[in-house]
Amino acid sequence: MERVAIVAWAYRQFERTDLSYSELVYEVVKDLPEWQTVVSASSDFHDGRTISNMAIQDVVRAPVTSESKVSMDGAFAMLYGWMRVASGEFDTCLVVAHSKLSEGDPRAIARAAWNPLYLRPLGLDDHTVLGMQARACGFPEEALAEAAALSLGVRVEEVLASPVVADPLRRLMIAPDSDGAAAVLLASEAVARRFSRTPVWIRGLGVCYDAHSPGHLDLRESRALRSAARQAIDRAGIREFDVAEVHDLSAAQKLLWMRELGLRRCNESGGALRWQPGFATGLIRVIEVAQRLAAGGGRTGLAHGMTGPLGQAQCVWVLST
Amino acid sequence: MISVPGQIRIPYLWAAGPVAGRFLAGLREKELWGIRCSNCSKVICPPEARCPLCDGACREWIRVGPLGTLVTWSGLLGIIRLDGADTGLVHHVRGKLEPGLRLEPVFADQRRGHIQDILYFRPWNA
């Protein structure tokens, strides 16, 4: 199996952008050098058209290479991109993800994403299940406010003064709806140094899913995240991380994911609590870790991505210089 | 800048299948059913063909409820573990809520084999 490195990347995040989503994707791929194949991540629901990757195939040069879409967070698209390079079939692979939550109705889309027999008719949106999870975890309000304040760079009082959106969560304890795109160039060991003097190596990865329905999950924990982390950490043989980023849709998730991963600190970037551009969010966690490592900000890193408002699908990457 | 408005509205008719279909048909009769996993023996409600806890095959139907215990909630939606079940049902909840509260379902007068044949759960007073 080939060793695989992250050799280039770009991302853009906005509260809202007037760029169309193919132009937004172009913004993050235009300065990357070259690639032989593409794995993309996007959501038909968020893009408002079926086979949402059709709209970006020209800007990722798919007509002259090959492209496949993952309808999950970009951190999972990277799994398939990694396979393409690790297998020896390709030397380079572009992994790209985009979402513009400003264009549709994120709450309505979340309500429509559930099982239509048991859940969809109830009007259960993503913020409501985040509130259910936060209440089940039982974190004190002060701890939630501190976790959010640290990510947002604001005072705890400001978090506590924001209105309750999904009890017990306040507005600043919930990841905001954002627009954004992210791209990562993966390369085999044979060519990695052609693109970067400081390649960041993929040392371990793990993926695990849990049940779909909130009622079938134990919201006080995430056995899927623990399993994904164990797979990634055991493959890498790395247990201490200089840099870590978790995909946190709420302040309670930040605390829960940190506990399940055994992290004492994470998300210097602000994490998803700062920007949450849908399916680009997890891939941006990978990039935040990679760019800090490449800049000499540490030797080892852990990046976490997930899909589903409760983290029903979990993905962990262990990286090192 | 120009933005083009649009809306997608497509009707569907989803087959419930034998497992969810039996649960929903039970609601029409004001009956609540779970299904036991042949591997881990947990009773799954709402029922699934494969166990969401261990992926075992679920076959044995078990009558559950009608009373249940509130696990968690936000706003007017909660997770209720029905008596005899090991997993939770998401549904509307009303009243003064607290963890562990005992709840009873309120059924609609006209029922059609639908999750909303239960209108909501409310606190149960012995």
Side-chain angles (χ1 to χ4, degrees):
Chain A
M1 201 164 65
E2 300 288 328
R3 290 220 306 159
V4 182
I6 299 171
V7 294
W9 52 78
Y11 69 82
R12 302 290 302 276
Q13 304 183 92
F14 306 87
E15 277 180 41
R16 180 183 182 284
T17 174
D18 283 324
L19 292 171
S20 73
Y21 58 83
S22 58
E23 290 166 334
L24 178 58
V25 169
Y26 184 64
E27 282 296 307
V28 295
V29 302
K30 67 183 182 188
D31 295 326
L32 301 184
E34 62 177 63
W35 52 86
Q36 296 168 343
T37 185
V38 184
V39 181
S40 71
S42 57
S43 157
D44 293 7
F45 256 140
H46 285 298
D47 285 0
R49 58 183 290 178
T50 189
I51 318 177
S52 51
N53 50 328
M54 279 194 295
I56 62 158
Q57 282 172 347
D58 50 348
V59 299
V60 300
R61 300 183 215 154
V64 292
T65 59
S66 61
E67 187 265 355
S68 308
K69 183 188 102 173
V70 176
S71 198
M72 296 182 77
D73 188 276
F76 293 82
M78 198 164 107
L79 168 70
Y80 300 98
W82 172 82
M83 286 178 183
R84 288 184 181 186
V85 178
S87 66
E89 283 296 309
F90 295 95
D91 275 323
T92 55
C93 177
L94 172 71
V95 179
V96 63
H98 76 269
S99 283
K100 288 189 72 184
L101 302 193
S102 70
E103 292 192 343
D105 178 341
R107 302 294 85 69
I109 290 168
R111 288 194 294 272
W114 299 109
N115 170 329
L117 304 173
Y118 292 153
L119 293 167
R120 193 184 289 199
L122 301 173
L124 183 70
D125 72 20
D126 50 342
H127 288 178
T128 305
V129 294
L130 290 173
M132 288 178 172
Q133 181 186 41
R135 177 167 271 123
C137 286
F139 296 117
E141 185 171 45
E142 191 71 16
L144 295 173
E146 274 174 27
L150 202 58
S151 290
L152 297 172
V154 302
R155 290 178 307 114
V156 171
E157 293 73 26
E158 197 174 325
V159 178
L160 290 171
S162 65
V164 173
V165 170
D167 56 287
L169 296 173
R170 295 174 180 277
R171 186 169 62 78
L172 295 184
M173 298 172 179
I174 295 180
D177 300 325
S178 313
D179 290 354
V184 161
L185 185 64
L186 302 178
S188 66
E189 188 162 23
V191 303
R193 286 181 203 280
R194 216 186 286 167
F195 301 105
S196 171
R197 278 174 300 170
T198 54
V200 176
W201 297 98
I202 294 170
R203 299 290 302 274
L205 60 114
V207 174
C208 189
Y209 290 34
D210 207 330
H212 165 80
S213 170
H216 292 333
L217 296 163
D218 186 340
L219 298 179
R220 300 165 300 179
E221 57 162 31
S222 174
R223 58 179 186 164
L225 179 54
R226 288 198 302 273
S227 169
R230 202 178 313 116
Q231 295 168 43
I233 288 168
D234 287 351
R235 281 180 207 202
I238 295 171
R239 273 155 223 289
E240 296 293 322
F241 304 102
D242 301 322
V243 182
E245 286 277 331
V246 302
H247 186 157
D248 48 349
L249 296 182
S250 74
Q253 280 191 358
K254 181 183 181 187
L255 296 174
L256 180 59
W257 302 158
M258 285 175 74
R259 189 168 75 198
E260 296 292 43
L261 291 165
L263 299 172
R264 284 183 300 276
R265 59 193 169 81
C266 66
N267 291 18
E268 277 180 58
S269 68
L273 287 173
R274 181 73 190 83
W275 301 99
Q276 197 261 123
F279 284 2
T281 309
L283 192 58
I284 291 172
R285 308 277 70 73
V286 174
I287 294 173
E288 293 283 2
V289 172
Q291 71 183 6
R292 278 175 172 72
L293 297 183
R299 208 185 62 74
T300 60
L302 179 147
H304 161 238
M306 61 170 216
T307 302
L310 296 168
Q312 289 99 327
Q314 298 278 4
C315 173
V316 173
W317 294 88
V318 173
L319 309 176
S320 81
T321 51
Chain B
M1 282 289 186
I2 289 176
S3 295
V4 178
Q7 188 173 8
I8 301 170
R9 193 180 171 87
I10 303 169
Y12 286 84
L13 188 61
W14 285 290
V19 175
R22 176 153 180 190
F23 175 77
L24 296 173
L27 296 183
R28 203 166 47 198
E29 313 305 321
K30 295 192 179 186
E31 291 176 2
L32 291 156
W33 290 90
I35 195 165
R36 191 187 295 281
C37 171
S38 61
N39 182 51
C40 72
S41 301
K42 300 285 190 195
V43 175
I44 309 304
C45 181
E48 307 280 356
R50 303 294 303 195
C51 176
L53 305 178
C54 78
D55 198 40
C58 297
R59 294 193 193 96
E60 186 194 350
W61 288 91
I62 305 282
R63 189 79 182 268
V64 297
L67 299 185
T69 302
L70 184 61
V71 176
T72 186
W73 74 95
S74 182
L76 295 175
L77 284 158
I79 297 177
I80 303 108
R81 189 173 297 126
L82 294 168
D83 289 358
D86 293 295
T87 66
L89 176 76
V90 177
H91 220 292
H92 301 288
V93 285
R94 292 205 186 157
K96 188 169 157 29
L97 304 176
E98 56 185 88
L101 183 69
R102 298 287 286 156
L103 296 164
E104 64 177 350
V106 176
F107 284 93
D109 292 335
Q110 301 289 325
R111 293 177 303 278
R112 54 194 166 123
H114 191 276
I115 191 68
Q116 287 178 309
D117 285 353
I118 300 172
L119 295 175
Y120 54 88
F121 282 79
R122 67 182 175 199
W124 175 71
N125 297 306

